[in-house]
Amino acid sequence: MTSPARRYPTPLEVSARACRALNRHDVDQLRSVLAEDVVERIVPIGIYDGRQAVLAYHEQMFAAAPDFRVEVTHVAAVGDAVLAAWVLSATFTGAPFEGLRPNGRRVRLDGASTQVVREGRVASAEVIFDGASYARQVGMLPIRGSAADRAILAALNLRSRLQTRNKKRLMPTDPDESPVRWPRRVDDPSERPRATVGPEDLEELLEREELAVIVTDLVGMVTHWSAGAERLYGWSGVEVLGRPITELTVVPEDEEVAENIMQCVRQTGRWEGEFWVRGNDRVAFLAYVREAMVSDDHGTPIGLVGVSIEAFLNGIDAPTG
């Protein structure tokens, strides 16, 4: 309580009121303890400038996790600053949050925060927690040590090796055109079509659960669809067999680019690079793709195989339009 001897509540009292407002999901009470020009910096997510922006963020959080709660485990005040350690718990069962759809994931985070209190209101706040742990718990990143996690590390390590060797994976013919490695001339016998994946290698690839492996015939009709492809693209193997690959995974405006990639594989035996794809939900995402020719037991080319993994760690936005 504020004593008659002082005009404003102490920083610890203000911080406690803010915590109670959070746990009650009481936006009005939270508004009463925030300065109009408050700035809240949530380190893994972003900066919210002004009381309305801070309140909007917390309203979104309450709607996304109806059971959201913060338990303060340690707290101390130094001058006008309050330092707190806490445990956050929430279940993502409500509304979308920061662009993510609710998926029922349970989140438990250990974190710390600093609040600066002036004239009885929070003037600034900084919230820190493990962003990678948060991303894994809500499903943005795979669980540490899982097959998908190992696949992402393998893809990043492969990219690092390629960059070290200064290999150019993409060779656009014009700066304004979509980046794609275009087919080379095949006048030189060394550049003629060559089968690169045999039956045994293909069987081994299809068993790699951490990889999305898709096999088509030479014209692009799906013949094999691995369990990893089911997870990444959302189509079951039964749904896709015999259908054109461009109908299933290619963004409509990039169909010509996809055809050029397949033609490159037919002529040179392989292609690799980053390419925008989409799944059953029609949402575009960036994938790192390696394409190669498939041969039968006699070495005769019979199809194409593509191995892909989502490249969401690049920080590139999806195309629009």
Side-chain angles (χ1 to χ4, degrees), residues 15 17 31 45 52 69 87 106 124 128 144 181 230 264-265 269 275 300 310:
S15 180
R17 290 177 185 177
R31 180 183 290 107
I45 297 178
Q52 288 306 115
R69 183 170 181 80
V87 177
R106 178 71 174 170
S124 66
I128 302 173
R144 185 182 298 278
R181 178 176 290 172
E230 290 187 351
C264 176
V265 179
F275 182 63
T300 302
E310 189 170 359

Side-chain angles (χ1 to χ4, degrees), residues 41 43 83-87 109-114 126-130:
R41 180 171 182 255
V43 172
L83 314 176
W86 41 261
V87 177
L109 294 172
D110 295 310
S113 60
T114 303
E126 183 169 57
V127 179
I128 302 173
F129 57 84
D130 186 343

Side-chain angles (χ1 to χ4, degrees), residues 154 156-167 290:
L156 291 176
N157 289 334
L158 173 61
R159 178 173 304 163
S160 297
R161 290 198 299 271
L162 293 175
Q163 289 173 342
T164 300
R165 297 171 187 171
N166 293 320
K167 285 190 174 181
R290 300 186 72 179

Side-chain angles (χ1 to χ4, degrees), residues 47-265:
I47 299 174
Y48 299 88
D49 194 350
R51 182 162 55 198
Q52 288 306 115
V54 173
L55 291 173
Y57 168 79
H58 287 288
E59 283 185 297
Q60 184 186 40
M61 183 171 59
F62 299 151
D67 62 346
F68 171 89
R69 183 170 181 80
V70 174
E71 179 183 350
V72 176
T73 56
H74 297 86
V75 65
V78 180
D80 58 3
V82 178
L83 314 176
W86 41 261
V87 177
L88 179 152
S89 60
T91 310
F92 192 16
T93 56
F97 179 70
E98 296 292 301
L100 295 174
R101 298 173 183 173
N103 54 19
R105 295 291 189 97
R106 178 71 174 170
V107 176
R108 185 186 185 282
L109 294 172
D110 295 310
S113 60
T114 303
Q115 295 175 330
V116 176
V117 177
R118 296 193 178 94
E119 297 182 351
R121 294 178 183 267
V122 177
S124 66
E126 183 169 57
V127 179
I128 302 173
F129 57 84
D130 186 343
S133 176
Y134 164 76
R136 293 182 193 279
Q137 291 184 59
V138 298
M140 295 172 64
L141 288 177
I143 299 301
R144 185 182 298 278
S146 65
D149 187 48
R150 294 195 302 271
I152 290 173
L153 291 175
L156 291 176
N157 289 334
L158 173 61
R159 178 173 304 163
S160 297
R161 290 198 299 271
L162 293 175
Q163 289 173 342
T164 300
R165 297 171 187 171
N166 293 320
K167 285 190 174 181
K168 293 183 179 180
R169 296 190 301 269
L170 305 177
M171 298 170 59
T173 58
D174 185 280
D176 296 327
E177 293 179 354
S178 299
V180 59
R181 178 176 290 172
W182 297 94
R184 291 174 287 178
R185 293 178 60 86
V186 293
D187 301 330
D188 186 338
S190 66
E191 297 296 336
R192 290 176 185 168
R194 57 188 183 277
T196 58
V197 177
E200 292 184 2
D201 294 330
L202 181 59
E203 184 177 350
E204 182 180 345
L205 271 176
L206 289 167
E207 292 177 353
R208 296 276 299 274
E209 294 186 0
E210 74 273 21
L211 299 176
V213 181
I214 301 170
V215 185
T216 71
D217 61 18
L218 290 173
V219 297
M221 298 295 181
V222 175
T223 60
H224 297 76
W225 190 270
S226 75
E230 290 187 351
R231 286 193 300 272
L232 183 60
Y233 293 102
W235 296 99
S236 69
V238 174
E239 293 175 294
V240 301
L241 294 183
R243 294 175 63 180
I245 185 63
T246 53
E247 176 185 297
L248 299 166
T249 66
V250 177
V251 179
E253 55 267 30
D254 285 345
E255 287 187 7
E256 184 177 352
V257 176
E259 289 292 344
N260 279 311
I261 290 174
M262 288 191 287
Q263 182 63 13
C264 176
V265 179

